[in-house]
Amino acid sequence: MATDRQAKVLNAIVQDYVRTGEPVGSRAVVERHHLGVSPATVRSDMVSLEEAGLIHQPHTSAGRVPTDAGYRQFVDQIASLKPLSRAERTAIKRMLFEAVDLDEVITRAAALLSSLTNQVAMVQYPSLRRTALRHIELVPLTDTRALVVIITNAGRVEQRMVSFPSALTEEDLVALRRVLNTELEELQLAGLPDALGRVEDGLPEELKPAARLVVQVVEETLRNEAEERVVVAGTANLTRYTIDFDNSVFPILDAIEEQVVLLRILAHQEDGLHVGIGRENSSDALSETSVVSTNYVGADQQTLARLGIIGPTRMDYTANMSSVYAVAKYLSDILAAN
């Protein structure tokens, strides 16, 4: 950016274009944003901004609109996020903390994020490959069968039946559960095979076959249920913005329906708040959209997955970034509390 004034002119163009959807002229910038300069000076700055590729003139005698590079310049200079209103914060807390299980938490988070932003919202499920074990419970059914309840640090609960080669007393199950939780707690899927030896070392010989069976069941469960998936809400919101897309909105809708496309986009982003604008996104179908996303964490502050929104490049970045960040923060809080 050549001058601070040109930065202010660019910000004014972005803000007005986001609000009105109409190309912004020099006189409108002067009247609405009180930059203390004449329209002729603003026109000169617009020429410089256009030469820098930050704005363009859609047709002769029209005002200017931001390019993807202009939006990027605008987003990069946002110093702080706009705080949500008290009503918005209350709504987020009430909606998320009333959920009864992980499935409902994720579904509610997606619906809430879509409602706050009027964009397409996506929330990635915590992967069982990335989450850690919090607790294993053994519920006796008969003297040779038990229900294995697997609880992760993301609040995810899986249940599997196991049949033991010989009868076990309630005291046996208590001893087995104690050692399993001592050695397997906080471990991820990759760490389970190495932990089996420590589990067996802590048990009498007659309980070692049962321990091997339970660890095997836990491994198989985590491996089989580890498929990545994304919950999407508010797809219909895209139809509000058909004027913002040069091409049809349908390829964008098709891409959003493809889980692999959304997972690829989220996987290519590092922890923290990220804004992908236009062709910065990894999918050609989303080259006319912007993706705002961030990670959410579990009780140990380790990243569980990501959430975010998809919408046209002409979006209110400041407000949407704040909403994405806030929902991720509350989602992290509720998962840490479970």
Side-chain angles (χ1 to χ4, degrees):
M1 189 64 63
T3 67
D4 289 342
R5 189 183 65 235
Q6 288 173 9
K8 293 177 181 178
V9 171
L10 175 62
N11 289 353
I13 292 171
V14 171
Q15 292 168 14
D16 285 0
Y17 183 63
V18 166
R19 185 177 68 254
T20 67
E22 298 292 335
V24 182
S26 57
R27 187 169 298 279
V29 170
V30 170
E31 292 175 352
R32 293 172 184 164
H33 298 274
H34 311 292
L35 300 183
V37 295
S38 68
T41 300
V42 172
R43 282 194 295 274
S44 176
D45 287 337
M46 285 180 167
V47 170
S48 297
L49 292 170
E50 194 164 7
E51 291 174 347
L54 301 177
I55 60 174
H56 72 97
Q57 193 173 26
H59 51 82
T60 306
S61 300
R64 269 66 168 187
V65 302
T67 63
D68 287 357
Y71 285 124
R72 168 52 59 198
Q73 188 79 44
F74 174 81
V75 168
D76 287 347
Q77 59 81 46
I78 295 176
S80 59
L81 297 179
K82 172 186 174 183
L84 299 185
S85 68
R86 176 176 294 180
E88 288 172 325
R89 295 195 303 271
T90 300
I92 293 174
K93 291 174 68 174
R94 182 178 65 250
M95 191 167 184
L96 291 185
F97 279 84
E98 288 178 354
V100 298
D101 57 27
L102 181 63
D103 289 336
E104 189 175 0
V105 169
I106 297 298
T107 301
R108 287 189 176 209
L112 183 61
L113 189 53
S114 174
S115 176
L116 288 171
T117 63
N118 291 320
Q119 309 292 349
V120 179
M122 53 182 176
V123 181
Q124 182 182 14
Y125 252 85
S127 169
L128 287 178
R129 293 186 186 276
R130 300 173 64 183
T131 55
L133 286 170
R134 174 178 290 178
H135 186 73
I136 296 175
E137 186 61 49
L138 300 177
V139 181
L141 301 175
T142 68
D143 59 356
T144 59
R145 301 181 71 198
L147 183 68
V148 181
V149 182
I150 304 161
I151 305 172
T152 74
N153 63 347
R156 195 163 176 174
V157 179
E158 301 290 337
Q159 299 180 2
R160 295 294 184 273
M161 204 85 68
V162 62
S163 296
F164 300 119
S166 59
L168 298 181
T169 66
E170 187 172 337
E171 290 75 15
D172 290 334
L173 287 180
V174 169
L176 182 57
R177 182 176 61 239
R178 175 180 53 78
V179 174
L180 285 169
N181 283 302
T182 298
E183 299 299 338
L184 303 186
E185 186 180 22
E186 303 302 327
L187 288 182
Q188 294 181 328
L189 175 61
L192 294 182
D194 291 339
L196 178 57
R198 298 195 299 273
V199 171
E200 292 186 354
D201 289 343
L203 291 170
E205 194 66 33
E206 63 270 18
L207 291 184
K208 290 182 180 181
R212 286 193 289 269
L213 278 175
V214 174
V215 173
Q216 180 182 350
V217 166
V218 172
E219 282 189 89
E220 291 175 350
T221 300
L222 297 188
R223 187 175 294 109
N224 292 337
E225 298 295 326
E227 180 183 354
E228 304 281 355
R229 58 191 175 112
V230 179
V231 173
V232 176
T235 305
N237 284 331
L238 272 185
T239 61
R240 303 183 183 189
Y241 308 111
T242 53
I243 193 173
D244 291 301
F245 303 110
D246 292 335
N247 302 312
S248 170
V249 73
F250 293 108
I252 301 173
L253 294 173
D254 289 342
I256 290 172
E257 288 184 1
E258 295 290 336
Q259 291 273 309
V260 66
V261 172
L262 301 183
L263 288 168
R264 186 185 306 122
I265 289 173
L266 295 172
H268 286 177
Q269 298 166 3
E270 297 179 354
D271 285 356
L273 193 62
H274 177 88
V275 181
I277 300 172
R279 295 196 176 277
E280 295 174 357
N281 296 311
S282 57
S283 170
D284 289 340
L286 301 182
S287 62
E288 293 186 85
T289 70
S290 286
V291 178
V292 182
S293 70
T294 192
N295 58 300
Y296 63 92
V297 301
D300 56 1
Q301 297 302 303
Q302 295 296 310
T303 293
L304 297 176
R306 294 186 69 84
L307 59 78
I309 61 169
I310 300 173
T313 54
R314 186 181 70 89
M315 68 163 60
D316 187 341
Y317 289 95
T318 305
N320 288 342
M321 289 164 67
S322 296
S323 296
V324 168
Y325 178 84
V327 173
K329 176 66 168 60
Y330 283 111
L331 183 55
S332 297
D333 289 346
I334 192 172
L335 292 180
N338 285 341

